[in-house]
Amino acid sequence: MSEFFLLASDPEAVQNLSIFDPVSPPAESIRSLSALVAGIAAFIFIIVEGVLFYSVVRFRARGPRTSEPPQVYGSKAIEVAWTSAPALVVFILVLVVTRTLWDVNRPNPPSKPQDHALFITVIGHQWWWEYVYESYDGRKLDLITANEMHMPASTEGVARPVYLTLKSADVCHSFWVPRLGGKTDLIPGHPNEMWFQTDKPGLYLGQCAEYCGTQHANMLLRVTVDEPAEFDRWLEQEAEPAAVPANSAVEEGQTAFLAQSCVNCHRVRGTRAVGTFGPDLTHLMGRQTLASGMIANDPENLRKWLTDPQQVKLGCLMPAFGLSTRELHEIVAYLSTLR
């Protein structure tokens, strides 16, 4: 199992999944709410346990008991206190939770192209993510990728928010990148929305947070925040069709690939592979991982994946095709050129 690219025991991965190190306004609102609720709960715990400890010490038995202790059958002051105090706590929590929900869910799409906003439709599948880039900075994009989202970082004086429309192609999923935002469900037939932005470039990890079947735990998320210029270069590269075979060996690999039923599920722009059931492979090698973040994207792991996907991700919907050694070599050689 050493092939797995992301491990729960990896300290960096664990840190990257912490809600206590937010890098976006929605995530910061969630962290602040969590800290406040934890503080209120700790205060109540200290008061209750303090009274309990005081009562145990102060009123403990000292010698043989000769009579019943005094009985208190009612106290208006105590009854008012233990009714009003919880009501006050609940009232405060309702206010702060409402404010946090407003910060996290506020529908605030930009009204002008110069607002530098990025719009992406996220589609959850068993068990991978599809990203349809709709527009950026007022420009229509209409490009598709899978499993690894890219977004631009905000810069001083220029906010670059990302607005996500969340959909499901099959069952309920949940989009959760803890350092960028809270959990938002992807429900069949009921699109949801969320947003975030950050000025800190880097890689942010996430996870499907709604049980969605056998490989729910391996439906991983990777969001790369690029510098604006780097993001523009990435968009330009992703908009290009697949690379044309540079030599006869790669051309033979393309022919072998197109001869398989892979074309029924996968799209490679610029070829007759136009399937939409599986991930878009046009720029497959531009992604760092395979199998929705499970293994590193290199020729060796690609070969393992094509040989028998069930050995890597049991239950995934891609079958083993029983490729010959030659076909496997040719197809890996071709797919390795799709950058």
Side-chain angles (χ1 to χ4, degrees):
M1 304 294 281
S2 59
E3 68 209 13
F4 285 86
F5 194 63
L6 294 176
L7 297 176
S9 59
D10 182 351
E12 292 186 7
V14 172
Q15 175 63 25
N16 214 329
L17 290 168
S18 173
I19 68 168
F20 298 107
D21 188 19
V23 296
S24 75
E28 173 59 33
S29 296
I30 293 171
R31 186 205 63 81
S32 299
L33 176 62
S34 301
L36 177 63
V37 172
I40 292 175
F43 176 76
I44 294 173
F45 177 81
I46 291 171
I47 294 297
V48 172
E49 294 302 313
V51 171
L52 177 61
F53 182 76
Y54 170 79
S55 300
V56 169
V57 173
R58 173 69 177 80
F59 300 105
R60 72 186 187 279
R62 295 178 175 84
R65 177 176 295 174
T66 58
S67 62
E68 286 291 324
Q71 302 298 305
V72 177
Y73 294 99
S75 171
K76 184 175 292 186
I78 293 177
E79 291 173 359
V80 169
W82 72 36
T83 301
S84 59
L88 178 62
V89 170
V90 170
F91 179 70
I92 293 173
L93 290 178
V94 167
L95 291 181
V96 296
V97 168
T98 300
R99 184 191 66 184
T100 302
L101 287 173
W102 175 259
D103 291 340
V104 171
N105 298 324
R106 59 193 170 108
N108 187 29
S111 57
K112 301 178 181 178
Q114 58 264 34
D115 282 335
H116 305 285
L118 173 63
F119 290 85
I120 303 175
T121 296
V122 180
I123 304 173
H125 299 259
Q126 290 178 309
W127 291 273
W128 59 282
W129 303 93
E130 181 177 11
Y131 301 116
V132 181
Y133 284 71
E134 307 287 357
S135 65
Y136 173 57
D137 200 15
R139 310 191 311 267
K140 184 174 176 58
L141 298 176
D142 195 26
L143 63 87
I144 301 173
T145 186
N147 295 323
E148 299 181 10
M149 179 192 297
H150 283 251
M151 60 173 280
S154 298
T155 53
E156 187 175 355
V158 180
R160 292 179 171 83
V162 179
Y163 296 93
L164 304 181
T165 299
L166 305 174
K167 300 179 179 180
S168 173
D170 35 53
V171 300
C172 291
H173 303 281
S174 185
F175 188 95
W176 185 40
V177 183
R179 297 183 67 194
L180 292 175
K183 302 174 183 178
T184 305
D185 287 343
L186 291 77
I187 302 172
H190 182 79
N192 274 336
E193 297 179 347
M194 67 181 298
W195 78 283
F196 44 73
Q197 68 184 50
T198 181
D199 58 1
K200 300 185 185 304
L203 173 65
Y204 299 97
L205 305 180
Q207 168 75 56
C208 175
E210 178 79 21
Y211 181 73
C212 54
T214 306
Q215 288 294 334
H216 159 68
N218 290 316
M219 189 173 172
L220 307 176
L221 278 160
R222 297 171 67 86
V223 178
T224 300
V225 180
D226 299 318
E227 295 287 357
E230 185 179 349
F231 178 71
D232 286 337
R233 287 193 295 271
W234 181 84
L235 282 180
E236 184 177 350
Q237 177 182 345
E238 289 293 311
E240 295 293 328
V244 176
N247 53 55
S248 58
V250 176
E251 188 172 356
E252 289 175 0
Q254 183 188 58
T255 301
F257 173 81
L258 296 176
Q260 301 293 326
S261 56
C262 310
V263 298
N264 294 329
C265 292
H266 296 284
R267 177 193 294 110
V268 179
R269 280 184 285 116
T271 73
R272 62 183 180 83
V274 293
T276 58
F277 185 77
D280 188 297
L281 303 181
T282 305
H283 297 287
L284 171 66
M285 300 311 290
R287 303 198 276 266
Q288 294 183 327
T289 63
L290 295 170
S292 192
M294 286 184 65
I295 55 177
N297 187 7
D298 56 42
E300 180 182 354
N301 282 329
L302 182 57
R303 181 182 299 274
K304 291 180 182 178
W305 177 255
L306 292 176
T307 300
D308 188 0
Q310 302 301 319
Q311 293 297 319
V312 178
K313 197 163 190 170
L314 181 64
C316 72
L317 303 184
M318 179 173 167
F321 290 99
L323 300 173
S324 68
T325 302
R326 178 177 178 178
E327 289 173 328
L328 187 62
H329 176 77
E330 291 175 342
I331 292 175
V332 169
Y334 168 62
L335 293 179
S336 296
T337 68
L338 300 181
R339 298 187 179 276

